[in-house]
Amino acid sequence: MSGISANYYDGQSSKRHAVSIQLDANGMLSIHGDSLSACYPLDEITMAYRIGKRVRMIKLSDGASLEAETTPELDAILDQTKQHKHQGLVHRLESKLKYIVMALLLTIAFAFGFLTWGVPALAKSVAFSLPVETQDYLGEGTMEVFDEYFMQPSKLDKTRQAAIEKRFQALISGLDERDRYELLFRDSEKMGANAFALPSGSIVLTDQFIALAENEKEIDSVLAHEIGHVHFRHSLRGAIQSSSAAVLIALMTGDVASMSSFAATLPTLLVNMNYSRQFETEADNYAKQLMKEKGIEFYHFARILTRLTASHDVADDDDSLNFLSSHPSTKERIKSFQ
Amino acid sequence: MEEENSDTRELSIEFTGSGSEYFGIWIVNILLTILTLGIYTAWAKVRTRKYFYNNTRMDGAIFDYHASPIAILKGWAIVVGVLIVQQVLSSINILYGLGLLLAIMAFIPWAMVRSRVFNLLNTSYRNVRFYFEREYKELYTIFLIAPLPIIVGYGLFFYVAISAESAEVTPDTGIMALAGVFILAGFVLLPYYLHRFYSFIITRSSFGRTPFENCSSAGAFYSIYLKAFGLGLLVGVAMMVVMGVSAGLADVADGVISVIMGVLAFVIYLIGIYYVIYFIEATKLNEIWGKTSIDGNRFISKLEPWGLMWVMLSNTVLIVITLGIYIPWAHVRMTRYRLNHLLIEVTGDMDNYIAKGHKEMGALGAELGDAMDFEISL
Ligand SMILES: [Zn+2]
């Protein structure tokens, strides 16, 4: 008698029965072995998963099970059960090269789209829905670290500070009431000529930066750019984006905490570089708007940016953001302000 | 079909899966999970497990996984719901969120037990299910008592340090020493609790009605951690020597040599640290499995630190280089490596294990355990 050879286990004990199975003329699944002989209607096959190509595990309604190597004949029999047939679709997707390639391309497209548009949009809505206290808290924390390791109190004389502060107040007058801004002066050999904005709305200017500026309007133009960063909550969004992109990729590829999925999140570093460039453009555009309103000519920004770039021998810009990403764009940015 | 004699033989565990075959399952799982906004994770999990179990072969029979995706989906929905509530509460008041987080943490030992029960109950070999006794007390005891001295020690330390700082006096050295003793005692006791934990996990597991037995000793755990500690010291000393030489050379030779020595010190550090980590993992698993038996059939575990480390590190590098595409091959490689180093010494045949009746159970604990990555794996 020709049949498909399989191992039969009755579900009561681990005893193995070598059997041969076949579909008989009445559409019954008949099982024959040395010490056993049984017949099951096909609808008593309660579970027949279809995963991989090697084996098929077949559960029978009375708790017994069959283990068999996969053959076309076996799959043909099992296809007459509803469950196996349904899974045929998923199994085809999983095992045919063209579907696998399609799934891969679609997944890459989704991941790319999500990282390019989804994560920034998500981070934006989160950043704008977080209470102001969170931002203050984050800003203070950052400032403490900076003061401890990179910066000293400003050595600039008080009248000069007051003059800049006055121009700063003029710059922010009439801006959105919900945003709060604060100007801070610090001395920092380590950071050099630098200006940056914190989530709390604090804008920090270094003494070295003031020294680099040739006139007040140049300082104003950089302040306008930093106000843009605060207005769009860029530092908070940046923090949310870089962490959420990593977490989401880990979630997508499976178990979060395992080392392999952690390794898979490393490429998000590349994505983050791109984000920071988008922020610079956004802040630049905001600065242009504000400078137009307050009557500050664009070329001031172009000139101070040129000098800032030159003062740091590596081409990092005002935020010391990633120099890999900002290096090619710094020239473009300067050009757009000329 | 099979030999049935009463000789003792060593059965190896074979893994027949392949990276390219698993890749198809993996990528389709990801895509369908995205398209269904996460709902498909339940099916994805079952199909993944099933693929790995069905490709694990011992003595001509394979393992099987039976969990119902619907049960997993329900557990998953509850976990997602709880996480959303946690997020909402945290956004109202960070303290509410923390409170709920603490409450969830109180469920961790419960979730670990449930997860183990769920996964073993849904695992079968020769159509006989595995089983895990539902006992929560031991895990709660371990999780509450083991970290206690360390928490008390650090608490005491920070309390004294902060109150001394605000009063502007030097902290009481006696109390500081006491805190140190607490912390040290806590760490010294950890191998003991770790052993108790593994021993609990194994001896409450059974195959059908036949329980697993374990005769590993806390002493062996101490010896492993002591050796690891010694290895760590050795790595430190080697690094110091190289760095010292490099500093000494900086005066006489040009900068290149001292840079090379600096790089060498870093490489020694990296390899050393990873070696210690995988030394602990390999020897610990060898000890636990090597002292485990079922019905007189003994397990033999032959994991090697270098082998484990090589598979792990090369997997990580390849995953990074391929931007994650290598993940399925990495999983298959790791699984194959681990299973190939586990043997079971069997006397007679394996025909006489009797099944225990089982009821289907909810997957909430399992999902909670999974979500927080507290699933126990050996
Ligand atoms: Zn900027």
Side-chain angles (χ1 to χ4, degrees):
Chain A
M1 181 171 66
S2 77
I4 300 157
S5 64
N7 285 326
Y8 172 92
Y9 300 99
D10 64 8
Q12 307 299 311
S13 81
S14 59
K15 182 154 180 59
R16 169 172 23 210
H17 306 265
V19 297
S20 131
I21 53 177
Q22 63 179 0
L23 203 60
D24 70 14
N26 306 322
M28 302 276 275
L29 187 72
S30 73
I31 300 170
H32 281 285
D34 289 344
S35 54
L36 122 163
S37 188
C39 247
Y40 292 89
L42 273 181
D43 58 12
E44 286 194 22
I45 296 179
T46 56
M47 180 83 78
Y49 261 87
R50 189 167 186 175
I51 298 165
K53 54 180 180 281
R54 261 191 87 105
V55 286
R56 293 288 176 261
M57 304 293 272
I58 303 152
K59 273 200 216 179
L60 302 166
S61 57
D62 60 359
S65 79
L66 291 162
E67 259 175 54
E69 301 284 324
T70 312
T71 59
E73 298 82 50
L74 180 64
D75 270 349
I77 295 176
L78 293 176
D79 261 347
Q80 297 183 32
T81 68
K82 230 166 50 190
Q83 205 186 9
H84 195 264
K85 206 172 171 61
H86 285 169
Q87 284 184 54
L89 178 64
V90 181
H91 179 66
R92 262 200 303 285
L93 291 179
E94 289 169 348
S95 54
K96 290 263 190 303
L97 183 65
K98 63 176 174 186
Y99 296 127
I100 294 174
V101 172
M102 265 162 62
L104 177 64
L105 293 178
L106 267 173
T107 305
I108 291 173
F110 269 115
F112 183 78
F114 191 74
L115 289 172
T116 316
W117 298 291
V119 169
L122 216 68
K124 196 170 175 178
S125 77
V126 171
F128 282 97
S129 66
L130 277 179
V132 189
E133 294 83 52
T134 333
Q135 300 209 42
D136 287 351
Y137 178 73
L138 283 171
E140 277 162 29
T142 320
M143 205 57 202
E144 268 170 35
V145 174
F146 276 33
D147 274 338
E148 176 93 31
Y149 297 103
F150 306 112
M151 306 188 304
Q152 292 80 41
S154 173
K155 297 187 182 75
L156 212 61
D157 68 67
K158 291 283 178 274
T159 49
R160 184 76 207 281
Q161 285 192 19
I164 298 170
E165 172 73 33
K166 203 176 162 204
R167 294 187 66 92
F168 176 65
Q169 289 304 333
L171 208 54
I172 61 174
S173 73
L175 293 182
D176 196 335
E177 287 286 314
R178 281 165 298 179
D179 295 325
R180 291 181 300 163
Y181 303 95
E182 180 193 17
L183 185 58
L184 298 172
F185 296 96
R186 290 288 189 276
D187 178 49
S188 176
E189 284 297 331
K190 283 181 187 149
M191 299 173 87
N194 224 321
F196 57 92
L198 295 176
S200 51
S202 304
I203 294 168
V204 183
L205 299 178
T206 64
D207 292 358
Q208 288 73 9
F209 169 77
I210 308 279
L212 193 73
E214 282 173 358
N215 61 51
E216 302 302 295
K217 284 190 172 178
E218 287 188 359
I219 300 178
D220 288 351
S221 71
V222 168
L223 285 174
H225 171 89
E226 296 306 328
I227 290 168
H229 279 315
V230 173
H231 176 74
F232 293 116
R233 304 198 176 181
H234 280 155
S235 41
L236 190 59
R237 278 161 65 185
I240 297 170
Q241 283 178 5
S242 47
S243 49
S244 59
V247 168
L248 279 157
I249 288 190
L251 280 177
M252 257 165 53
T253 51
D255 35 356
V256 184
S258 84
M259 187 155 159
S260 54
S261 53
F262 174 72
T265 63
L266 288 179
T268 53
L269 285 177
L270 296 171
V271 179
N272 290 333
M273 292 179 188
N274 192 32
Y275 289 155
S276 57
R277 206 151 69 183
Q278 288 169 5
F279 287 164
E280 288 316 312
T281 314
E282 216 174 18
D284 280 354
N285 289 337
Y286 184 91
K288 282 179 189 167
Q289 185 85 36
L290 190 60
M291 286 159 78
K292 208 182 280 173
E293 274 172 36
K294 306 283 174 179
I296 303 161
E297 298 79 7
F298 287 179
Y299 69 83
H300 291 297
F301 190 75
R303 294 185 57 193
I304 184 90
L305 192 56
T306 313
R307 245 173 291 127
L308 269 172
T309 315
S311 81
H312 299 250
D313 42 332
V314 286
D316 59 350
D317 64 4
D318 47 355
D319 296 314
S320 320
L321 282 169
N322 220 296
F323 106 95
L324 256 180
S325 69
S326 34
H327 181 65
S329 68
T330 309
K331 278 196 193 96
E332 286 166 35
R333 287 176 63 195
I334 292 170
K335 206 188 261 170
S336 88
F337 275 93
Q338 272 158 354
Chain B
M1 189 164 166
E2 82 249 48
E3 313 158 67
E4 308 217 338
N5 51 35
S6 60
D7 292 341
T8 299
R9 61 209 162 109
E10 259 183 27
L11 295 179
S12 57
I13 300 174
E14 194 193 345
F15 186 70
T16 57
S18 79
S20 51
E21 192 180 26
Y22 175 47
F23 181 83
I25 296 168
W26 179 78
I27 196 75
V28 169
N29 278 344
I30 292 178
L31 182 64
L32 292 181
T33 300
I34 294 172
L35 291 178
T36 58
L37 301 176
I39 308 253
Y40 192 75
T41 41
W43 281 264
K45 186 182 271 177
V46 171
R47 291 189 80 79
T48 304
R49 284 260 163 91
K50 201 137 173 123
Y51 178 75
F52 278 89
Y53 283 34
N54 282 180
N55 278 298
T56 303
R57 181 175 284 259
M58 188 174 83
D59 195 26
I62 60 180
F63 287 78
D64 201 8
Y65 186 66
H66 305 269
S68 123
I70 299 291
I72 292 179
L73 188 64
K74 282 180 192 158
W76 185 82
I78 294 172
V79 170
V80 170
V82 170
L83 286 179
I84 290 173
V85 169
Q86 204 270 334
Q87 283 300 311
V88 171
L89 281 183
S90 320
S91 69
I92 297 169
N93 185 332
I94 200 94
L95 284 179
Y96 294 161
L98 282 177
L100 188 64
L101 204 65
L102 270 179
I104 294 173
M105 276 168 72
F107 278 100
I108 288 174
W110 174 84
M112 284 174 105
V113 171
R114 297 287 291 189
S115 153
R116 180 95 178 144
V117 174
F118 182 82
N119 285 321
L120 284 194
L121 207 56
N122 282 307
T123 302
S124 73
Y125 175 69
R126 293 172 166 237
N127 204 11
V128 171
R129 303 275 184 122
F130 288 80
Y131 196 76
F132 190 76
E133 236 176 86
R134 278 169 226 209
E135 194 199 304
Y136 304 99
K137 214 182 90 201
E138 171 74 359
L139 268 197
Y140 272 101
T141 313
I142 293 172
F143 275 72
L144 285 178
I145 295 179
L148 207 59
I150 297 174
I151 293 172
V152 169
Y154 276 114
L156 207 59
F157 175 80
F158 282 115
Y159 176 72
V160 173
I162 289 168
S163 53
E165 172 107 23
S166 58
E168 292 183 2
V169 293
T170 47
D172 186 330
T173 42
I175 300 180
M176 287 306 234
L178 186 68
V181 168
F182 266 109
I183 295 169
L184 193 67
F187 280 109
V188 166
L189 281 172
L190 278 185
Y192 163 76
Y193 285 109
L194 206 61
H195 169 257
R196 217 168 124 174
F197 172 79
Y198 280 115
S199 166
F200 165 78
I201 292 300
I202 293 199
T203 54
R204 297 304 185 281
S205 306
S206 56
F207 175 52
R209 290 171 190 271
T210 319
F212 285 89
E213 280 149 45
N214 188 281
C215 60
S216 67
S217 70
F221 270 62
Y222 273 100
S223 129
I224 290 167
Y225 279 94
L226 219 61
K227 278 181 199 154
F229 186 69
L231 278 171
L233 282 183
L234 225 67
V235 173
V237 169
M239 243 179 78
M240 299 286 256
V241 168
V242 173
M243 272 158 61
V245 170
S246 120
L249 280 178
D251 294 334
V252 289
D254 53 30
V256 180
I257 295 178
S258 81
V259 167
I260 291 173
M261 296 299 266
V263 171
L264 187 65
F266 184 67
V267 170
I268 290 177
Y269 166 77
L270 264 190
I271 293 179
I273 291 301
Y274 278 111
Y275 183 78
V276 172
I277 290 172
Y278 292 112
F279 169 82
I280 293 174
E281 166 127 4
T283 48
K284 198 170 70 185
L285 289 177
N286 286 348
E287 164 68 17
I288 300 158
W289 277 112
K291 300 286 169 62
T292 299
S293 61
I294 180 162
D295 196 26
N297 301 319
R298 213 163 57 82
F299 286 90
I300 302 160
S301 175
K302 294 178 172 170
L303 290 174
E304 282 154 11
W306 285 118
L308 209 54
M309 180 172 157
W310 164 245
V311 175
M312 219 41 169
L313 294 188
S314 56
N315 271 351
T316 307
V317 169
L318 285 166
I319 286 170
V320 172
I321 290 174
T322 59
L323 303 182
I325 300 292
Y326 189 72
I327 290 174
W329 281 271
H331 276 297
V332 165
R333 253 183 91 199
M334 197 69 228
T335 307
R336 173 166 293 128
Y337 180 84
R338 284 176 186 274
L339 290 177
N340 282 351
H341 289 81
L342 188 62
L343 304 161
I344 177 166
E345 205 177 74
V346 175
T347 307
D349 59 47
M350 297 191 68
D351 276 359
N352 300 315
Y353 293 96
I354 306 299
K356 184 168 177 159
H358 63 268
K359 284 201 303 264
E360 296 300 324
M361 64 171 278
L364 173 58
E367 275 304 300
L368 194 62
D370 258 17
M372 305 172 89
D373 204 51
F374 280 120
E375 191 189 319
I376 302 151
S377 53
L378 287 172

